[in-house]
Amino acid sequence: DAKTTQPPSMDCAEGRAANLPCNHSTISGNEYVYWYRQIHSQGPQYIIHGLKNNETNEMASLIITEDRKSSTLILPHATLRDTAVYYCIVSPSGNTGKLIFGQGTTLQVKP
Amino acid sequence: DAGVIQSPRHEVTEMGQEVTLRCKPISGHNSLFWYRQTMMRGLELLIYFNNNVPIDDSGMPEDRFSAKMPNASFSTLKIQPSEPRDSAVYFCASSSQGFNYGYTFGSGTRLTVV
């Protein structure tokens, strides 16, 4: 399985954009980039995923570099409720491949 | 939709006892996953099913652990006998091929073995 590298922790001011980086230099052509987050004591929550193109939904934007070796998750206006552990995962296409979680990035949004 | 439903939310049991965790996936989802989370090891995939068939159980730690999915709406994870090192939060998740909203996780079962 391809592996990802994320910084262990980041801070962000409330109302500002949070940019969470992820390196996945060994990603294969058929592997998607997935982002999940886990708020304390809750189950992980799906945020967004993409293959090549940049993606945006109501929660976040996903920017994938042209060589697909890295990506950035952008929370455009972080709130205190966005404080969580954010996981970047690569996995084969489709939702029935298994997701292997790493250690993630702990994002602390501060007032 | 009520989402993925897990029961019980909390379980405290004595070492050596049998423990059964339950999961009801989202209706229409055909894949189901069991994860375990501890501070030391993070989130670990234990086993997953496609169309009620176990596909990969390589993450099941020992023969003491077993999982079943008798039908599309129910799965169990059983530990027999339980040990203190099994204490963790156990999550169930479900997904549907072609459904672009990823996996949906349940709220988890916090297991404490004393």
Side-chain angles (χ1 to χ4, degrees):
Chain A
D1 292 346
K3 298 199 181 299
T4 62
T5 303
Q6 300 178 253
S9 64
M10 294 180 63
D11 290 342
C12 177
E14 188 178 19
R16 303 297 295 269
N19 297 282
L20 292 90
C22 179
N23 286 321
H24 31 80
S25 59
T26 60
I27 191 170
S28 300
N30 69 338
E31 289 182 315
Y32 282 72
V33 180
Y34 290 86
W35 283 84
Y36 284 75
R37 74 179 181 183
Q38 186 174 26
I39 297 170
H40 182 62
S41 298
Q42 299 181 20
Q45 177 190 22
Y46 166 82
I47 300 173
I48 198 167
H49 75 285
L51 183 63
K52 296 180 182 178
N53 300 321
N54 298 336
E55 302 288 343
T56 296
N57 62 21
E58 65 278 4
M59 290 182 68
S61 294
L62 173 60
I63 307 299
I64 303 174
T65 58
E66 190 170 347
D67 63 8
R68 300 205 328 120
K69 293 185 177 182
S70 65
S71 60
T72 301
L73 179 74
I74 301 173
L75 308 179
H77 305 287
T79 71
L80 298 179
R81 289 175 295 179
D82 292 320
T83 292
V85 179
Y86 287 77
Y87 298 97
C88 169
I89 305 163
V90 295
S91 181
S93 59
N95 279 321
T96 52
K98 57 184 181 181
L99 295 181
I100 306 300
F101 286 78
Q103 295 306 306
T105 295
T106 298
L107 175 68
Q108 181 73 47
V109 180
K110 298 184 174 181
Chain B
D1 197 320
V4 176
I5 300 173
Q6 292 187 246
S7 63
R9 287 298 307 275
H10 302 275
E11 176 81 33
V12 180
T13 190
E14 293 185 347
M15 182 174 61
Q17 296 296 306
E18 177 179 297
V19 176
T20 299
L21 311 181
R22 297 172 175 79
C23 176
K24 176 178 170 55
I26 290 175
S27 177
H29 282 190
N30 63 344
S31 296
L32 184 139
F33 308 82
W34 282 101
Y35 284 84
R36 176 173 70 174
Q37 186 170 35
T38 61
M39 288 293 292
M40 290 296 294
R41 301 176 67 87
L43 269 165
E44 302 174 277
L45 176 65
L46 300 178
I47 185 171
Y48 77 98
F49 297 82
N50 277 357
N51 297 316
N52 312 337
V53 176
I55 302 301
D56 185 346
D57 65 354
S58 60
M60 296 286 262
E62 301 172 31
D63 291 344
R64 298 185 296 106
F65 285 69
S66 62
K68 293 182 179 180
M69 193 164 185
N71 57 62
S73 59
F74 184 64
S75 177
T76 59
L77 178 68
K78 185 178 294 185
I79 308 173
Q80 166 65 18
S82 58
E83 296 183 4
R85 58 189 169 132
D86 302 330
S87 297
V89 181
Y90 291 81
F91 289 104
C92 175
S94 70
S95 73
S96 177
Q97 188 172 12
F99 187 58
N100 291 322
Y101 294 98
Y103 293 17
T104 302
F105 281 78
S107 299
T109 294
R110 181 173 296 276
L111 174 65
T112 303
V113 183
V114 298

